[in-house]
């Protein structure tokens, strides 16, 4: 019987060759994809990747591609930098650019936008896979596109049992016959791509709950997979201060630990367990470098002058009443905030933001500015004396206390400007009159963003209704982990149009840098829940960030989503399986 089976397998070996076919229906969808699926290029183990080995950034991206092909398909390519005939070739420069330069002799070619710097082209035909890019970043984007197009070999132990068993049996049979299994079939294609928005963000609250460096790296990997380029790292809060400040060693040590945490939505019942954790500056640098290799900028946020109980616990003299203050054990907005009239407050902020700028090279630094109740300031002699010193008067539009906050913002903006940085603030920074160079993060709807764009301030759009992925994503909330409330299904995220064309002129729309999703973590305490909230809503926002509005079609998006979900299975990350 064994003999018969063996002879049968020998006869069938060529048929068993596992033809795995690429599919360019990826997320986010490239700007243009022209497929000819009557012809294929077959990529096999042993074929090469050619690239400029003298350029470490290009070499790194070639390595990424090499690794991803192997991880997902088992096809092992060779790094063959010099080989002009390699199956995959990474070539810097677009021939069309050179032509344009020649045609415009004497005239200055217009400067390329940041999006155009990210552009890439992939051509697959009988000579193989040609990747062209203006800058090394384009190779990274192209490598991600190819990665998402790859057929996934079912080898992960997380994969369904049947599929895995079948694959194992097949490879045993093939090894008996000496036949190779690999062979990736790429339909001929022309892909041209560049993103729509310059700013494509995702935020993570690591203050309400603390997440490990490894979890943050996975978050960054997922962002990079979707073409996101700005990680907004929220890491100070009433419930914990999580950034090491070397000049203030007690700050993170003590300010990061709360004695207990309320259960549910401020139920009044507490878990009785100490909770804490903070990031050393060395870890922050590690994350900055990891992100940079994936073309993601890390924007740190120190949220001030509200959301400061973590710091006030350690330095009660910085509060209007002098404390004592616990690291907060419940959720919501505390009315205990930094005292605006105490000169030590500004010294504290400059020490903290000074070290923040040392650790984070980001052009953008986030100062928070949201949800700062003014009840303490109204009754604080020091705050009121400061307001008098500054000559602040209620002008009917801006209260004295709101203007006091603007004064702090202005001081910080100047401080950051001296270090070559731009300040971002939540849209409350508009309330006391926006400082001149500030960037507004519009979260309480789109109106703050509209107002700021009309005043010719740059804007990042993160309105709760479309971008708050701490909200539930399914109507039926009972089967899901406890959340803050709300309802933001994938379809609604997908439907967001950040330029608000019916309210902003073409000129005003230029001030909208791009959209961002925010993941607040009062109720999100472990990594599986983080990724459950993120995916697949990150897929939806990535098309808002990357694709032109005329390209978008939710039904078409939904049809492309299952392949992404399969990839998440393969990568071992959790996601919400239901789509609404
Ligand atoms: C915010 O959601 N408090 C910015
Ligand atoms: Zn005060």
């Amino acid at each position: 019987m064994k003999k018969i089976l063996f002879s049968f397998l020998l006869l069938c070996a060529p048929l068993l060759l596992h033809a795995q076919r690429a599919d360019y229906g990826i997320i986010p969808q490239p700007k243009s994809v022209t497929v000819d699926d009557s012809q294929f290029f077959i990529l096999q183990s042993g074929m090469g990747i050619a690239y400029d080995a003298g350029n470490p950034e290009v070499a790194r991206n070639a390595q990424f591609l090499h690794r991803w092909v192997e991880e997902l398909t088992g096809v092992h390519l060779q790094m063959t930098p010099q080989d002009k005939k390699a199956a995959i070739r990474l070539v810097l420069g677009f021939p069309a650019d050179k032509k344009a330069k020649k045609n415009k002799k004497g005239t200055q070619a217009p400067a390329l936008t940041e999006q155009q710097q990210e552009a890439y082209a992939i051509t697959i035909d009988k000579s193989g896979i040609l990747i062209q890019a203006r800058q090394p970043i384009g190779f990274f984007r192209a490598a991600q596109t190819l990665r998402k197009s790859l057929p996934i070999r079912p080898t992960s132990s997380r994969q369904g049992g049947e599929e895995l068993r079948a694959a194992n049996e097949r490879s045993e049979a093939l090894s008996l016959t000496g036949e190779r299994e690999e062979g990736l079939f790429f339909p001929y294609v022309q892909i041209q791509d560049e993103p729509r928005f310059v700013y494509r963000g995702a935020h993570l609250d690591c203050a309400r709950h603390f997440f490990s460096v490894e979890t943050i790296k996975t978050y960054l990997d997922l962002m990079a997979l979707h073409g996101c380029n700005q990680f907004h790292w929220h890491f100070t809060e009433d419930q914990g201060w999580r950034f090491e400040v070397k000049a203030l060693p007690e700050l993170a040590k003590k300010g990061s630990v709360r004695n207990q945490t309320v259960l549910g939505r401020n139920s009044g019942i507490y878990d009785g367990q100490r909770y804490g954790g903070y990031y050393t500056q060395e870890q922050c640098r590690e994350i900055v470098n990891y992100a940079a290799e994936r073309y993601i900028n890390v924007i740190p946020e120190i949220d001030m002058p509200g959301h400061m109980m973590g710091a006030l616990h350690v330095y009660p003299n910085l509060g209007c009443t002098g404390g004592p203050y616990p690291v907060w054990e419940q959720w919501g907005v505390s009315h205990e905030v930094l005292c605006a009239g105490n000169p030590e407050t500004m010294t504290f902020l400059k020490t903290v933001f000074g070290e923040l700028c040392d650790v984070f090279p980001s052009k953008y630094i986030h100062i928070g500015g949201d949800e700062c109740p003014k009840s303490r300031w109204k009754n604080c002699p020091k705050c009121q004396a400061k307001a008098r010193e500054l000559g602040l008067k209620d002008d009917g539009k801006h209260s004295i206390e709101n203007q006091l906050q603007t004064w702090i913002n202005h001081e910080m903006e100047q401080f950051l400007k001296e270090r070559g940085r731009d300040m971002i603030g939540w849209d409350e920074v508009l309330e006391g009159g926006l400082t001149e160079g500030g960037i507004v993060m519009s979260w309480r709807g789109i109106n703050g963003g509209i107002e700021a764009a009309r005043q010719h301030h740059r804007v990042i759009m993160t309105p709760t209704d479309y971008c708050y992925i701490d909200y539930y994503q399914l109507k039926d909330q009972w089967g899901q982990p406890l959340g803050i409330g709300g309802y933001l299904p994938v379809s609604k995220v997908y439907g967001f149009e950040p330029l608000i064309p019916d309210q902003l002129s073409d000129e005003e729309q230029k001030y909208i840098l791009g959209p961002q999703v925010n993941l607040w973590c009062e109720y999100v305490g472990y990594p599986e829940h983080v990724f459950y909230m993120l995916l697949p809503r990150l897929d939806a926002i990535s098309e808002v960030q990357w694709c032109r509005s005329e390209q978008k079609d939710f039904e078409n998006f939904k049809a492309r989503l299952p392949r992404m979900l399969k990839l998440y299975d393969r990568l071992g990350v959790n996601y919400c399986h239901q789509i609404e």
Side-chain angles (χ1 to χ4, degrees), residues 319-321 338-342 376-377 380-384:
C320 290
T321 64
L338 291 178
C339 176
N342 182 348
R376 288 296 189 211
W377 289 5
C380 170
K382 279 189 260 178
C383 286
Q384 291 304 317

Side-chain angles (χ1 to χ4, degrees), residues 203 208 234 237 301 303 307 333 366 370-371 426-428 441 443-444 462 464 468 470 518 520:
H203 149 290
R208 269 52 175 267
H234 180 88
E237 262 304 336
E301 180 189 356
D303 200 349
H307 293 271
V333 177
H366 206 305
D370 60 322
E371 299 176 322
W426 297 108
D427 61 35
E428 284 91 334
M441 198 166 257
W443 73 280
R444 296 174 302 177
T462 71
T464 52
Y468 266 44
D470 55 335
N518 293 338
W520 297 102

Side-chain angles (χ1 to χ4, degrees), residues 180-196:
R180 287 163 41 129
E181 187 189 34
E182 301 99 4
L184 305 174
F185 284 57
F186 285 86
Y188 285 6
V189 73
Q190 286 267 2
I191 298 176
Q192 282 176 346
D193 201 11
E194 67 184 47
R196 180 184 182 197

